[in-house]
């Protein structure tokens, strides 16, 4: 008995290393598209779908080849900070409680120090495009979450831009509110992870 035709995907490179948690949010140029949905890079090699060495079942076809990022995600044991590295970018997520008071967008001295540390890494990577995205949990109205997350993203952006003082850097600042949680909103531990500000920027060429 033969198996029904299947669609086989050729993946030239895929490796994901997750130390503690789920993937964090990224974003592309369209604010209506969810973070993390950017198209993958094109495959560096071509695969001949008619190559007999593939040994495809009768009637099966070969999906388009694509490259998946090598990814490493590290989260502090306290959960205060989360770092995601891929072969193309760096994303640093700070919990809102580390940066702000409850329902506030005002930064304290310790929070400003942490953000200046991120600015130093941006400088070291020679990044010219920086994304600053704010997120909240699902408590309260979605409108309030949208406004608060944008204010918090703006506050982090202000410190970054002042610290870097570089006219060649382009910033993208957005507040996503309760959209794109990275943890379960039904628990306080999960909601705490979701209340965050993420800063992402490209890695420099090796």
């Amino acid at each position: 008995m033969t198996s029904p035709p299947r669609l086989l995907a050729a993946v030239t490179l895929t490796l994901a290393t997750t130390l503690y948690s789920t993937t964090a949010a990224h974003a592309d140029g369209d604010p209506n598209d969810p973070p993390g949905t950017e198209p993958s890079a094109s495959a560096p090699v071509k695969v001949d779908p008619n190559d007999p060495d593939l040994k495809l079942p009768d009637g099966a076809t070969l999906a388009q080849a694509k490259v998946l990022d090598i990814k490493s995600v590290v989260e502090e044991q306290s959960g205060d900070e989360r770092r995601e590295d891929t072969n193309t970018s760096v994303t640093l997520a700070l919990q809102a409680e580390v940066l702000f008071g409850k329902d506030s967008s005002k930064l304290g001295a310790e929070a400003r120090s942490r953000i200046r540390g991120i600015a130093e890494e941006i400088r070291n990577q020679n990044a010219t495009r920086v994304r600053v995205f704010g997120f909240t949990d699902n408590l309260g109205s979605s409108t309030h979450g949208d406004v608060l997350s944008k204010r918090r993203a703006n506050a982090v952006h202000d410190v970054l831009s002042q610290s870097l003082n570089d006219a060649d850097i382009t910033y993208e600042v957005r507040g996503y509110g309760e959209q794109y949680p990275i943890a379960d909103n039904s628990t306080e531990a999960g909601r705490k992870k979701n209340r965050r500000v993420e800063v992402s920027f490209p890695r420099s060429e090796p």
Side-chain angles (χ1 to χ4, degrees):
M1 182 175 178
T2 60
S3 303
R6 294 176 299 169
L7 182 66
L8 301 181
V11 179
T12 58
L13 174 63
T14 174
L15 173 64
T17 305
T18 302
L19 301 184
Y20 287 100
S21 186
T22 55
T23 57
H26 303 288
D28 58 16
D30 187 344
N32 296 316
D33 290 337
T37 58
E38 300 94 331
S40 299
S42 59
V45 295
K46 292 184 178 181
V47 179
D48 181 3
N50 299 314
D51 189 332
D53 290 336
L54 291 176
K55 296 182 172 50
L56 296 176
D58 291 340
T61 58
L62 191 66
Q64 183 178 359
K66 61 181 179 179
V67 176
L68 301 181
D69 274 342
I70 297 174
K71 183 181 294 183
S72 171
V73 180
V74 179
E75 186 174 274
E76 287 185 357
Q77 190 170 6
S78 64
D80 290 349
E81 188 169 331
R82 184 175 186 276
R83 179 188 179 103
E84 178 181 305
D85 288 274
T86 73
N87 55 331
T88 59
S89 66
V90 177
T91 299
L92 297 167
L94 294 174
Q95 282 189 359
E97 281 83 349
V98 175
L99 302 174
F100 309 100
K102 185 177 180 180
D103 207 30
S104 170
S105 58
K106 184 177 181 179
L107 291 163
E110 183 178 348
R112 290 175 179 274
S113 178
R114 281 187 179 237
I115 296 168
R116 284 193 289 268
I118 295 174
E120 187 62 29
E121 181 157 1
I122 293 171
R123 182 181 290 109
N124 292 339
Q125 292 290 346
N126 297 313
T128 57
R129 184 184 182 195
V130 178
R131 293 169 168 173
V132 186
F133 298 149
F135 303 87
T136 63
D137 58 28
N138 65 348
L139 298 181
S141 72
S142 60
T143 300
H144 177 72
D146 291 345
V147 172
L148 180 60
S149 63
K150 180 63 182 298
R151 286 177 177 169
R152 288 176 166 176
N154 283 334
V156 172
H157 160 261
D158 289 346
V159 177
L160 285 174
S161 60
Q162 291 166 12
S163 300
L164 291 165
N165 193 26
D166 189 339
D168 292 331
I169 297 178
T170 300
Y171 294 88
E172 183 181 355
V173 185
R174 294 183 188 163
Y176 281 106
E178 65 187 52
Q179 298 182 74
Y180 318 122
I182 58 172
D184 186 357
N185 266 318
S186 67
T187 68
E188 176 52 30
R191 289 191 294 270
K192 186 177 179 181
K193 288 179 181 289
N194 292 332
R195 299 189 293 265
R196 68 198 190 277
V197 175
E198 295 185 353
V199 180
S200 60
F201 47 91
R203 300 182 68 88
S204 59
E205 293 293 332

